[in-house]
Amino acid sequence: MCSRDCALRTLLHSAHGDVVLSLYQPATLPLLGFAVSSLLGLAEHEKAKQIKISALKCLQVLVLQCDCQEHRCLDADEAQRCGDLFASFLPGISITLSRVITGDLKQGHKPTVSAIRLFYLIVGLVMADAQLARVPKNKEKLPVEQSRISELMVHRGPDWSKSTAEKLLLLLRKIVESSSVHPHWKVRLELVELVQHLLQNCSRSLVDSFSHLLKALVGLVNDENPEVQRRCQEVLQGMAEQGMVAQNRALADVLSENLHSLATALPRLINTQDDTGKVSTLSLLLGYLKLLGPKINFVLNSTSHLQRLSKALMQVLELDVTDVKIVEERGGGSASPCGPAGSLARRWQRKYFRFFTEEKVFQLLQQVCRVLGYYGNLYLLVDHFTALYSESGMYRKQAAMVLNELLAGAAGMGVDVLREREVSPNVDDLKGSVTSVLDEYTDQANWYLVTSIDAEEISHEHSVQHSKLSARPRGACSSVLLPSPEPPATTRTMNSNIWQICIQLEGIGCFAAVLGREFRLLLLSTLYPVLEKAGDKTLLISETALGTLADICEACGYDSVQSLINENSDYLVNGISLNLRQLVHQPHASQVLDTMLRHSDASLLPLVEDVIQDVLAALDQSYNHQAPTFLRVLHSVMTALVRWFGSSCGEELQAAEGQSRTLSLGPQVVTGQELQQFFLDYVRQKQIAEGDLPDTDEEADEVQPCAKLDPNGPDTEGEAPLPSHAQLAKDTMERCIHLLSDGNLRVRLQALDVLELCVTVLHPHGNHLLPLAHRAWPALVTRLISDDPLAVLRAFKVLCTLAQRCGDFLRQRFSRDVLPALTSSLRSQAPASARAGPIYSHTLAFKLQLAVLQGLGALCQRLDMGESDLNKVADACLIYLSAKQPMKLQEAAQSVFLHLMHMDPDSTWLLLSEICCPDRYRPPHASLQPVQLPGMGRQRDEFTDNILGLLEQLQQWESVEPWAGAHQDPPP
Amino acid sequence: MRLRGGVATATAERPRASARRVRGGRHSPRGARARETVIPCHGRQRAAYGGCRAGDRRCSGYAEFVPARAASRGGKTPPVGRMLEGEVASVSGVIARMALPPPDPQFVLRGTSAAVHTLHFSCGGQEPDVPILFSGSENGFIHVWNLKTHRVDAALDGHGRKSVYCVQTMGGKEALLSQGRDQRICMWDLAEGRTSVTDSVFTENVGFCRCSLLKVAQGRWLMAMAAKATDEVQVLELPSKTSVCTLKPEVGAKLGMPMCLKLWQLSCGSQPLLLAGYEDGSVVLWNLSTGKALSQLVCHQEPVMSLDFDSEKAKGISGSSEKVLSIWSLNEQQNLQVYKTHKLVNAGISDITIRPDKKILATAGWDHRMRIFGWKKLKPLAVLDYHTATVHCVSFSDHKNPSERLLAAGSKDQRISIWSIYTQT
């Protein structure tokens, strides 16, 4: 049988033009019919694959649709005639072929492919728009002798074509359904060809079937096989380029109908399908939109379409806001300053959606929105989604997301389309839309949301709400967001609020990219709110805001965030200064200043000096109520000043310190002469101590330091004006002095912190620091000796910092006012800590002891304390050398003694040796008395270990300084 | 500079130095303060008192003001921007008493780096034109502020770093007229980004009297200015600079120096008239064609610092260094009559402007505040409190769109505050 097929094929193949055409006359219809039906029978029922294929091929040749190129083309008339002829076979052929196509998968892909090809060729021939248009109204009469044959002939009139199209619709649906999911890619590829061929040739006659055909085509864009994908893309591209949709009203209607039903079903589909299903559904949606192209506006102009589509997007884009981590992650105010802008340029935060996890799904949705924005009427869309945004809190986040993407799409950013739009919107239109959306975003009701349950902040937020509600009749909108005046700030709502702010921030970054340099004009109103959020305590928000800043830098052509801030500092300063006036309602002004300071350098100072003066003035107006807020601002200002100018003070200080160290540690070669001098001095000192010398000397000694201090006091004050940063520190310090004795512990602690920073900044300007220190001293002493342990701790830190510079100034006061209290507290605490268990190291008392012990040594050295004071210190610290004390306290006490050894090695040695002395000292000469120390020959006790360690240390130094070694025999 | 009364200095500062600086750390010694009076802003007032009596009145006004402010610093919540005591009852929308935060300026322009003495809007242009604000400051610069970007577009330097105390536009924003302490009035050409002085008039006057400009025909202007002789006013025609007349008070009138001038005409083409406020507190109406005084009215006990006149209602208002605003009217016989006086809490008005729509007026006070009154009944509407030093000038914008019209105030604290009081009412 196979051979017979082949023979027929070869015969027809080789028959040339006119000869072949003579075969296709109405008269031969019965013959042809027989051939066709027998071939169809073979194709359907034959088991052998080869024969099946062969039969189909033969049939293809028979209907003059051979694949090879040798045949000449039929002219229109001939084609028309053939079409008439084959119309009689169409029902039989199409039904049989559809059975073959949807048949058992086991038959392999080749017969299916051939059947599909044959199907579209024959349908395309018979139902071709070009031919149907030429069919005369009435059936032409054939000669009588052929009347029987003419009964077999079909007249392709409108009625016929309509009914045939209906029947074909059913067949096509079956074919598309089965072959679009066919496992073999060649079948799917052939399906693409089918769609292409039919759309090309039968766009009028088969219009009802297009819904299925287009669905298949658009769906196959994301086929797993690249070949199919590519071809599909080509076909779509071709369609778009020819303007098939734009010119063919019917096609556009079909598409918009499909879109409508898909949009209706979308939420349900996304809810139920798995990830791949979602991807294919969404790519279908995207494909429809792309195909519609500029025709989208017809769809959007219909309210019901727009409603469906937007609601579908709203539901699909719903975020998952249950993650607790978001609220918990807090950056805190002390985040390190960010590096150059480069490190900031990261991408947007990853969002978690309720209905999907796949990133691809989100990208598709993004594309959907962008394509909408690209082709659609921007004003219409922006209005619609802005209305959704303000309509309900439920849709707010999604609507914001959509708005961001719409505008990005409108600017042509990252849109992948089939066809360029005719007119791109001009900058003014874009700017208008962006401005209105920005206004909506940064509106108080949408910008200041509860994002934490920090008691302090909440109270502020409430006051914001109240003021807002009473200030404007826009309550309707805000009440949706935060339904009751006391909103239940659950983790969920806070998360949701955090996300909303982030999306809005991302939007601002996106708008900047949309407008490019034009965005500079909008910085006036935008930069301030963004910086406000950059200083937010919630990590997610502050990071997103930093990302937005980076985006703005890039879009507006600034090199770095720093230059962005510096060049627009006038806008920011204005915002800060105005908001400072209403601090109760606008507690965020301090955050903005903080962010500015953190992300800029010293060059910013002249620009913000003005506003810092405003802060100080505002503080003067409201010491009672707003002190904590102001102190936070001042703290950030001072931290910035220390960062910018601190290094210079620090270097100076270190240099000075280094000098003193070399002085004290430098190797001293001691000669006999010096030894003699030492004893002479010693004798003289002793005489002085016993009061042998005239009083005048003593006075001279005392007067001298005063005389030294005085001349550089008033003199220098008159000459060089303070650099501005020091002036600021000075002004701030004056305020802090007042606040040191505030009733609120928190304020006192803050004030102490700020004070310490001020002192650091003022280090190089001793003439100004000393008078201030003098004024601060009484309050500081009160903090040190009778306040909450927390305050004592901080105050002690301030004291240590102060001592670095004003040693002489503090010596007297310290030993008179503070030292007794410190040593007595150390002594009284010692038994408690010696007894305490391991938990003790977490108590405040322990921390206080530790801090005092750690600082005391250095403090004594800095202040250059007198002998009696040193003795007091040593006495108080000695108990802490006991092995019963916690290890850390022992170490700290050791450090005190190490400092004491630096200052007065001899007496320290003596003191330690009185407790415990490991060596026996033999006099170098028999005429001298043997040395007896109380510590000699004692039993090993709690102090032994530490003291031996210290003595060893001392001895090591002495080997460098042989001076002290003169007392002592070399060890045996 | 001829500062006739270095006079009042010592006594003048008496109450202020002690009371003002209650808390601050910057206690400037009295010497420094006295020296400061040489600078024009104080100098202006001081020179005004110079020859005449009661030179320290201004400061007594200050002293009365101070306790209130000092007390508010002391502890109780300061009702910033509060109403004048006793005037509260009639607040409408601008400030609801305590519930709303006090009104804030819409924007504050910084960067003149000197006290601001005069402001002038030029917002009349069509859409692509950017609204402009000109400011003249003590360091002799005229800043051209772009009200879209809120930044300085250009800084004009034409008065040898001497204080600029009057800026006016002649027609559009391209032609500018400025008056400075270098005794010159300069005409500027600013078209196409040029910044050149095209012409100038040497006034030879040492006072602080702002000149007044009136458009009489297309391209023809009249300008009244204080002349060389202490009590004379000269009227020139611009741009030809020909003298129209010189207005000289009768012998023995003892009006003192002219302090403020206002040229006006009833309708276009009618006879231009001049209102002048003098050092002795009187306001005089001059006929320019005859050069004779038509009417004289003593409104104040102190020099008239500023006046404005509404030609439709034939009513004017003047302020001086005292605590009184004086409203006077002009009857058909061209006679000035006192219509009403309004008592203020704090003394000293440095500028008065009636809004172009004649509905409200704004005053600039030495007490750092601007006050808004209804013009019809002088109903107090609002106290705008932002500045931290004397407010020197107030100006309303001439924007075509009422909702975008603005009020600007320039102060000694080197800032210009911009308020939107149209939209808030």
Side-chain angles (χ1 to χ4, degrees):
Chain A
M1 247 189 290
C2 187
S3 61
R4 203 181 66 197
D5 287 340
C6 288
L8 183 56
R9 197 167 80 200
T10 321
L11 189 67
L12 284 167
H13 219 354
S14 45
H16 270 280
D18 302 334
V19 186
V20 147
L21 274 179
S22 63
L23 184 63
Y24 296 94
Q25 296 292 335
T28 56
L29 206 55
L31 291 174
L32 279 173
F34 175 71
V36 167
S37 65
S38 63
L39 283 171
L40 282 175
L42 276 178
E44 191 180 358
H45 301 295
E46 182 54 52
K47 292 278 182 291
K49 201 193 279 180
Q50 207 53 48
I51 295 176
K52 249 182 165 168
I53 297 167
S54 211
L56 287 168
K57 285 260 167 66
C58 188
L59 199 54
Q60 194 177 339
V61 175
L62 191 65
V63 294
L64 296 175
Q65 298 291 342
C66 188
D67 284 333
C68 53
Q69 305 297 315
E70 297 160 23
H71 307 287
R72 75 178 175 88
C73 282
L74 300 176
D75 63 33
D77 281 336
E78 290 159 354
Q80 182 91 17
R81 240 180 293 139
C82 293
D84 282 339
L85 212 59
F86 296 143
S88 317
F89 309 137
L90 188 64
I93 295 180
S94 56
I95 290 170
T96 318
L97 285 179
S98 72
R99 271 205 291 263
V100 175
I101 294 167
T102 56
D104 194 356
L105 287 181
K106 271 182 281 180
Q107 69 184 349
H109 72 275
K110 277 193 176 158
T112 321
V113 170
S114 306
I116 292 177
R117 179 169 306 158
L118 184 55
F119 184 90
Y120 72 71
L121 287 173
I122 188 89
V123 172
L125 179 72
V126 177
M127 300 295 286
D129 292 334
Q131 293 189 22
L132 291 179
R134 290 174 51 190
V135 167
K137 269 240 163 60
N138 297 310
K139 194 175 175 179
E140 62 184 280
K141 289 285 172 222
L142 282 168
V144 186
E145 66 270 21
Q146 292 181 345
S147 63
R148 277 195 57 222
I149 289 168
S150 84
E151 276 171 29
L152 293 175
M153 288 287 285
V154 171
H155 176 66
R156 292 190 287 170
D159 294 340
W160 176 85
S161 65
K162 204 167 161 227
S163 66
T164 314
E166 275 167 20
K167 283 164 200 149
L168 281 174
L169 168 68
L170 297 175
L171 295 179
L172 276 170
R173 197 173 71 200
K174 260 199 251 167
I175 292 172
V176 165
E177 267 170 15
S178 77
S179 49
S180 62
V181 292
H182 198 280
H184 202 283
W185 65 272
K186 281 202 170 157
V187 175
R188 300 196 300 269
L189 185 62
E190 206 56 40
L191 182 66
V192 176
E193 297 295 342
L194 173 128
V195 175
Q196 196 260 345
H197 191 87
L198 293 186
L199 283 176
Q200 194 84 51
N201 294 316
C202 318
S203 59
R204 258 182 291 268
S205 53
L206 291 180
V207 80
D208 296 334
S209 320
F210 281 2
S211 153
H212 299 291
L213 296 178
L214 285 175
K215 193 171 162 184
L217 184 65
V218 173
L220 285 173
V221 170
N222 289 314
D223 197 89
E224 60 206 22
N225 186 294
E227 192 73 15
V228 179
Q229 250 183 44
R230 195 184 49 75
R231 179 67 192 142
C232 216
Q233 199 69 36
E234 269 174 27
V235 171
L236 284 173
Q237 197 83 43
M239 283 174 69
E241 268 161 21
Q242 288 165 25
M244 273 173 78
V245 180
Q247 283 153 29
N248 191 336
R249 191 68 208 274
L251 206 56
D253 285 346
V254 169
L255 275 173
S256 69
E257 204 48 49
N258 279 10
L259 190 65
H260 188 260
S261 55
L262 182 61
T264 315
L266 194 63
R268 181 175 52 78
L269 290 174
I270 291 291
N271 213 347
T272 54
Q273 280 175 325
D274 61 349
D275 274 347
T276 39
K278 286 167 193 167
V279 170
S280 63
T281 312
L282 285 172
S283 31
L284 196 58
L285 179 69
L286 183 58
Y288 286 151
L289 291 174
K290 281 185 181 174
L291 261 187
L292 273 170
K295 286 264 173 189
I296 281 181
N297 281 323
F298 288 103
V299 181
L300 297 181
N301 282 336
S302 136
T303 337
S304 93
H305 266 101
L306 188 56
Q307 287 284 1
R308 292 269 174 196
L309 191 61
S310 55
K311 284 279 156 63
L313 284 174
M314 293 298 105
Q315 285 173 23
V316 172
L317 278 170
E318 193 174 328
L319 282 170
D320 181 14
V321 290
T322 48
D323 190 359
V324 185
K325 237 167 53 197
I326 299 169
V327 179
E328 280 177 348
E329 280 182 334
R330 322 223 68 196
S334 57
S336 62
C338 273
S343 67
L344 284 176
R346 19 109 276 144
R347 274 305 85 197
W348 291 353
Q349 300 289 347
R350 187 184 153 78
K351 299 182 192 64
Y352 299 92
F353 294 91
R354 213 178 127 192
F355 294 115
F356 58 90
T357 49
E358 187 97 348
E359 188 64 22
K360 179 96 173 91
V361 178
F362 179 58
Q363 283 167 7
L364 278 170
L365 282 166
Q366 228 174 356
Q367 273 298 318
V368 165
C369 298
R370 289 193 178 179
V371 169
L372 270 179
Y374 186 80
Y375 289 120
N377 178 346
L378 193 59
Y379 283 113
L380 177 79
L381 286 167
V382 167
D383 272 3
H384 181 79
F385 283 99
T386 315
L388 273 179
Y389 174 88
S390 40
E391 178 187 298
S392 132
M394 241 172 71
Y395 293 149
R396 188 154 298 167
K397 293 184 290 297
Q398 297 94 304
M401 249 185 286
V402 173
L403 279 171
N404 298 349
E405 298 299 337
L406 276 180
L407 282 161
M413 276 166 48
V415 216
D416 176 28
V417 285
L418 296 172
R419 192 171 174 213
E420 290 284 307
R421 56 191 160 181
E422 285 108 24
V423 277
S424 40
N426 63 17
V427 179
D428 283 342
D429 287 349
L430 276 178
K431 212 157 93 186
S433 304
V434 165
T435 317
S436 71
V437 176
L438 273 181
D439 283 350
E440 200 66 35
Y441 280 1
T442 52
D443 185 274
Q444 285 204 347
N446 303 324
W447 197 250
Y448 300 112
L449 305 171
V450 181
T451 57
S452 74
I453 36 177
D454 195 336
E456 189 195 349
E457 277 179 37
I458 285 273
S459 69
H460 286 315
E461 305 292 348
H462 278 216
S463 59
V464 169
Q465 264 180 45
H466 281 290
S467 74
K468 188 180 54 51
L469 284 175
S470 50
R472 317 188 214 181
R474 286 204 51 184
C477 137
S478 70
S479 64
V480 172
L481 184 71
L482 300 164
S484 61
E486 312 268 322
T490 61
T491 314
R492 205 187 159 80
T493 50
M494 285 192 295
N495 265 342
S496 157
N497 288 342
I498 290 172
W499 272 119
Q500 191 192 323
I501 292 169
C502 287
I503 291 166
Q504 286 168 183
L505 282 168
E506 283 171 4
I508 293 175
C510 171
F511 300 156
V514 165
L515 290 181
R517 282 190 173 248
E518 285 288 314
F519 196 75
R520 282 188 180 209
L521 279 177
L522 298 178
L523 286 178
L524 179 57
S525 54
T526 330
L527 197 55
Y528 182 86
V530 174
L531 275 189
E532 207 170 70
K533 293 299 171 198
D536 199 285
K537 290 213 186 79
T538 309
L539 195 63
L540 193 68
I541 294 180
S542 60
E543 280 187 353
T544 314
L546 289 180
T548 305
L549 283 179
D551 288 346
I552 293 176
C553 281
E554 200 179 314
C556 298
Y558 293 104
D559 301 333
S560 60
V561 172
Q562 187 189 326
S563 69
L564 173 73
I565 290 175
N566 280 9
E567 285 183 38
N568 293 292
S569 60
D570 51 344
Y571 294 163
L572 294 168
V573 162
N574 180 62
I576 295 171
S577 119
L578 290 185
N579 284 325
L580 275 177
R581 281 161 52 86
Q582 306 183 355
L583 210 70
V584 191
H585 305 289
Q586 292 289 338
H588 308 282
S590 57
Q591 285 177 4
V592 179
L593 188 58
D594 188 31
T595 320
M596 281 176 80
L597 294 170
R598 193 150 354 121
H599 293 283
S600 196
D601 63 5
S603 58
L604 183 72
L605 186 64
L607 305 170
V608 294
E609 226 181 317
D610 190 40
V611 83
I612 297 174
Q613 290 297 345
D614 276 4
V615 173
L616 293 176
L619 175 62
D620 288 347
Q621 301 261 359
S622 55
Y623 269 109
N624 295 358
H625 308 283
Q626 295 297 324
T629 325
F630 280 114
L631 279 173
R632 211 171 331 139
V633 183
L634 291 179
H635 189 267
S636 57
V637 170
M638 283 302 136
T639 317
L641 289 184
V642 168
R643 207 174 66 232
W644 297 339
F645 303 99
S647 62
S648 62
C649 332
E651 272 165 28
E652 207 170 283
L653 211 74
Q654 270 172 5
E657 232 167 68
Q659 227 174 11
S660 72
R661 200 159 288 164
T662 48
L663 270 180
S664 67
L665 277 183
Q668 298 164 332
V669 182
V670 185
T671 60
Q673 217 171 11
E674 280 173 320
L675 195 62
Q676 186 186 1
Q677 187 61 42
F678 171 80
F679 280 111
L680 285 177
D681 280 350
Y682 176 75
V683 170
R684 200 170 64 89
Q685 294 280 342
K686 199 166 173 185
Q687 280 174 340
I688 293 170
E690 285 164 0
D692 274 5
L693 275 155
D695 290 354
T696 45
D697 268 20
E698 221 168 300
E699 267 169 34
D701 267 4
E702 252 175 43
V703 168
Q704 215 175 355
C706 301
K708 241 185 209 169
L709 259 178
D710 271 348
N712 51 5
D715 269 13
T716 39
E717 197 148 336
E719 52 194 44
L722 267 183
S724 60
H725 66 270
Q727 184 61 46
L728 275 179
K730 197 178 156 194
D731 292 346
T732 311
M733 196 160 160
E734 271 171 11
R735 268 67 173 196
C736 286
I737 292 170
H738 291 296
L739 291 168
L740 275 183
S741 38
D742 193 276
N744 184 347
L745 174 64
R746 237 184 100 188
V747 173
R748 290 201 302 270
L749 294 180
Q750 278 181 311
L752 283 168
D753 281 346
V754 178
L755 191 69
E756 192 188 344
L757 292 168
C758 291
V759 170
T760 316
V761 176
L762 280 174
H763 264 157
H765 310 278
N767 297 333
H768 297 271
L769 180 57
L770 289 177
L772 284 171
H774 171 70
R775 284 176 52 197
W777 183 250
L780 193 62
V781 168
T782 321
R783 299 286 79 70
L784 274 167
I785 55 183
S786 54
D787 202 341
D788 190 281
L790 271 173
V792 176
L793 202 61
R794 308 262 177 117
F796 191 73
K797 265 175 72 192
V798 175
L799 186 67
C800 292
T801 319
L802 203 55
Q804 287 179 3
R805 182 71 199 187
C806 331
D808 294 337
F809 170 79
L810 281 181
R811 190 182 309 129
Q812 277 273 301
R813 294 156 201 258
F814 180 70
S815 72
R816 187 185 63 220
D817 299 335
V818 184
L819 194 59
L822 275 186
T823 49
S824 74
S825 91
L826 277 180
R827 266 199 219 101
S828 64
Q829 276 296 315
S833 61
R835 252 182 282 118
I839 299 176
Y840 185 69
S841 65
H842 295 284
T843 60
L844 204 54
F846 171 80
K847 284 177 187 156
L848 191 59
Q849 278 174 312
L850 186 63
V852 170
L853 284 174
Q854 279 174 343
L856 200 55
L859 197 63
C860 289
Q861 201 172 2
R862 292 253 163 69
L863 297 183
D864 198 14
M865 306 283 286
E867 202 178 334
S868 64
D869 289 331
L870 289 185
N871 285 339
K872 273 187 217 160
V873 170
D875 281 349
C877 293
L878 199 59
I879 354 170
Y880 287 91
L881 288 178
S882 158
K884 288 176 188 162
Q885 295 287 345
M887 202 54 214
K888 281 203 164 169
L889 293 185
Q890 291 183 43
E891 281 167 11
Q894 283 186 17
S895 81
V896 174
F897 278 99
L898 288 178
H899 279 286
L900 292 180
M901 283 184 219
H902 267 296
M903 298 173 69
D904 193 351
D906 299 342
S907 69
T908 314
W909 173 81
L910 190 64
L911 180 84
L912 292 175
S913 297
E914 278 176 355
I915 308 292
C916 168
C917 180
D919 302 324
R920 305 221 143 257
Y921 297 102
R922 250 172 277 128
H925 194 269
S927 62
L928 296 169
Q929 292 273 319
V931 181
Q932 267 304 327
L933 290 169
M936 279 176 180
R938 272 213 196 169
Q939 289 295 310
R940 185 185 158 83
D941 62 8
E942 48 190 300
F943 297 106
T944 315
D945 286 351
N946 283 323
I947 291 180
L948 286 184
L950 285 169
L951 285 176
E952 206 169 302
Q953 189 89 39
L954 189 63
Q955 209 157 17
Q956 273 176 22
W957 289 345
E958 277 165 355
S959 61
V960 188
E961 299 172 67
W963 186 188
H967 289 280
Q968 193 187 335
D969 282 350
Chain B
M1 184 166 113
R2 192 168 51 126
L3 206 125
R4 280 185 293 168
V7 211
T9 333
T11 46
E13 293 306 328
R14 171 184 25 88
R16 176 167 191 179
S18 54
R20 241 328 254 158
R21 313 264 160 197
V22 250
R23 211 188 261 267
R26 284 166 293 160
H27 208 114
S28 50
R30 185 164 299 181
R33 237 166 218 266
R35 246 180 287 127
E36 199 182 313
T37 55
V38 180
I39 60 176
C41 95
H42 277 291
R44 169 149 116 219
Q45 291 138 7
R46 192 159 307 284
Y49 308 130
C52 63
R53 54 264 138 83
D56 56 350
R57 189 56 67 99
R58 155 182 163 241
C59 301
S60 70
Y62 230 110
E64 271 169 56
F65 150 69
V66 169
R69 207 168 165 89
S72 77
R73 282 195 181 191
K76 273 172 261 157
T77 2
V80 198
R82 83 202 123 163
M83 304 306 304
L84 300 171
E85 289 79 2
E87 295 172 347
V88 184
S90 49
V91 188
S92 64
V94 181
I95 310 171
R97 244 165 284 170
M98 282 297 130
L100 278 183
D104 273 333
Q106 193 189 51
F107 206 91
V108 178
L109 305 174
R110 295 152 209 259
T112 55
S113 56
V116 181
H117 283 294
T118 181
L119 293 168
H120 187 84
F121 278 103
S122 176
C123 306
Q126 289 302 319
E127 191 32 61
D129 266 13
V130 186
I132 295 281
L133 174 68
F134 295 100
S135 75
S137 48
E138 192 160 299
N139 55 6
F141 279 96
I142 299 164
H143 289 97
V144 184
W145 296 91
N146 179 331
L147 291 179
K148 274 253 162 68
T149 61
H150 299 229
R151 286 181 177 157
V152 175
D153 273 356
L156 315 174
D157 177 16
H159 288 279
R161 307 291 157 94
K162 296 278 179 55
S163 172
V164 177
Y165 59 90
C166 181
V167 173
Q168 306 261 346
T169 50
M170 301 169 76
K173 62 179 180 188
E174 271 81 37
L176 189 72
L177 177 144
S178 67
Q179 185 177 17
R181 285 288 290 153
D182 60 348
Q183 307 186 11
R184 287 202 313 158
I185 295 178
C186 296
M187 265 76 76
W188 297 80
D189 176 17
L190 303 181
E192 289 130 25
R194 281 190 292 270
T195 54
S196 54
V197 176
T198 50
D199 203 352
S200 70
V201 179
F202 188 56
T203 62
E204 294 181 78
N205 178 280
V206 291
F208 297 86
C209 179
R210 290 174 181 155
C211 64
S212 173
L213 205 60
L214 178 71
K215 186 179 182 178
V216 283
Q218 191 60 44
R220 262 187 68 227
W221 306 77
L222 284 182
M223 180 183 74
M225 61 179 197
K228 188 182 176 189
T230 47
D231 53 358
E232 275 177 18
V233 176
Q234 196 175 17
V235 181
L236 299 182
E237 191 183 290
L238 291 181
S240 62
K241 297 204 285 180
T242 49
S243 175
V244 176
C245 61
T246 304
L247 308 171
K248 212 178 288 181
E250 287 168 36
V251 185
K254 294 219 173 141
L255 290 174
M257 294 201 297
M259 300 296 297
C260 47
L261 302 169
K262 171 85 182 174
L263 271 175
W264 61 279
Q265 56 189 157
L266 203 54
S267 59
C268 201
S270 69
Q271 180 63 42
L273 297 164
L274 175 74
L275 277 163
Y278 286 88
E279 203 176 352
D280 74 338
S282 57
V283 173
V284 178
L285 179 71
W286 291 94
N287 185 334
L288 295 190
S289 49
T290 60
K292 290 273 183 298
L294 292 170
S295 170
Q296 179 183 350
L297 177 70
V298 179
C299 303
H300 300 277
Q301 301 304 310
E302 299 291 333
V304 183
M305 298 306 298
S306 178
L307 63 81
D308 202 357
F309 185 72
D310 170 12
S311 56
E312 290 165 27
K313 296 195 183 72
K315 238 168 58 177
I317 181 164
S318 60
S320 76
S321 49
E322 340 160 275
K323 287 191 196 176
V324 171
L325 286 177
S326 176
I327 300 102
W328 25 266
S329 62
L330 189 66
N331 64 9
E332 281 80 14
Q333 287 79 47
Q334 306 277 40
N335 273 327
L336 290 169
Q337 297 167 322
V338 174
Y339 175 78
K340 188 181 172 183
T341 55
H342 184 89
K343 200 114 173 71
L344 296 169
V345 175
N346 300 316
I349 294 295
S350 47
D351 198 11
I352 293 184
T353 311
I354 302 173
R355 197 164 72 178
D357 66 4
K358 321 281 190 217
K359 291 224 169 73
I360 59 172
L361 70 95
T363 66
W366 294 356
D367 62 352
H368 311 180
R369 294 167 183 179
M370 283 82 74
R371 288 179 170 71
I372 310 289
F373 296 95
W375 173 222
K376 208 168 155 194
K377 293 179 185 160
L378 221 67
K379 186 166 83 172
L381 295 177
V383 178
L384 305 180
D385 188 3
Y386 172 78
H387 289 286
T388 52
T390 302
V391 184
H392 283 147
C393 49
V394 282
S395 176
F396 286 103
S397 80
D398 52 348
H399 205 283
K400 286 217 165 59
N401 180 359
S403 68
E404 288 181 46
R405 281 182 203 154
L406 300 166
L407 165 71
S411 157
K412 197 189 165 199
D413 65 7
Q414 312 190 350
R415 297 178 190 179
I416 302 168
S417 56
I418 309 269
W419 306 75
S420 170
I421 53 173
Y422 285 77
T423 46
Q424 284 178 18
T425 40

